[in-house]
Each structure stands twice: as C-alpha cells, then as structure tokens.
Amino acid sequence: MAIPLAGAPIEDASKDVCAPCSPGTLIDRDEVETLTAQLKAMADQTRLQIIHLIDQSPAGELCVCDLTESLDLAQPTVSRHLKILATAGLLRREQRGTWAWFSIRREALQELRGRAFPRAAGSSPC
C-alpha cells in the first residue's frame, strides 16, 4: 500500500493496466529551433499585446505609431518588439513612406500551432 504524502491519501492504481502507445517521432532539430524562436518571440507580455492589437484592428494591420500610442511605449521599444516578431516570421512588415505597417502572418501562426501542438490540430495520440 502507498504511504500518504503530507496526509493526502494516494489512490491504488495497481488495478489499472498500462497500455502504452507509441510516443510518436521527435521533431526535426531545425524545426525545433524554428519553433523555439517563434515561441520565445511570443513569450513576452508586450509582444502578446502587439499581436492582440493587430489581430483586433479592423484592417488587420497597424502602423508603428498606432502601437506606440496604444502601448504607451517609446517608438524604439515598440520597433524592437516588432522586429523580434517579424524575424520569427510571425508578422509581415510593409513600408509605406516613413511608416512601417505590420500584419499577422496567420499561416505562420497556424503552422506553429500544428507543428508545436499536433494533437490540437487533430491527430490521435494512439
């Protein structure tokens, strides 16, 4: 019988039979590096806010000046975050005169979801 840890009883799972299934295949090393870069790019509060703001904009794109006002950050700070997202392939950048406009590369986000979380994309674990 299992010994309770800190007074919490542990259920006896010895009756259940483990039926292991194949864990699948490992992600290719290059693909892991790409996924890691994209996930790191999104793992920041400001960059998540940027993605959200662009996604919510009626035109599906925003100018750097729109983002600086909304985020209440200096233009160089916003530009640095935008560069990280664009370098990771998550944003599309278009230069219009002196301003840069950014839109979400939706296909990149869908690919990221499918590669990083294949079960969420519909494949079965066993």
Side-chain angles (χ1 to χ4, degrees):
M1 172 152 181
I3 300 172
L5 181 63
I10 298 175
E11 293 183 28
D12 184 6
S14 62
K15 297 174 192 165
D16 294 333
V17 177
C18 179
C21 64
S22 172
T25 58
L26 289 174
I27 301 172
D28 177 77
R29 190 77 159 157
D30 292 334
E31 190 172 356
V32 167
E33 288 179 15
T34 300
L35 290 171
T36 302
Q38 290 176 328
L39 291 169
K40 280 183 180 181
M42 294 194 58
D44 178 88
Q45 293 176 0
T46 300
R47 293 193 285 271
L48 281 174
Q49 288 286 9
I50 288 170
I51 294 284
H52 179 75
L53 287 169
I54 294 172
D55 184 55
Q56 297 300 310
S57 70
E61 63 182 4
L62 286 176
C63 174
V64 174
C65 63
D66 297 324
L67 291 165
T68 56
E69 288 180 27
S70 296
L71 296 167
D72 195 29
L73 293 172
Q75 184 271 328
T77 302
V78 173
S79 291
R80 180 178 55 85
H81 287 295
L82 288 165
K83 182 177 181 178
I84 292 168
L85 289 166
T87 301
L90 301 172
L91 292 183
R92 183 176 293 108
R93 182 183 190 275
E94 182 182 334
Q95 191 70 36
R96 297 182 195 162
T98 58
W99 294 103
W101 290 76
F102 292 85
S103 59
I104 296 172
R105 292 190 61 238
R106 296 196 186 283
E107 66 280 1
L109 290 180
Q110 289 171 346
E111 288 174 20
L112 171 62
R113 180 177 181 229
R115 289 190 327 246
F117 310 104
R119 286 187 64 190
S123 67
S124 170
C126 291

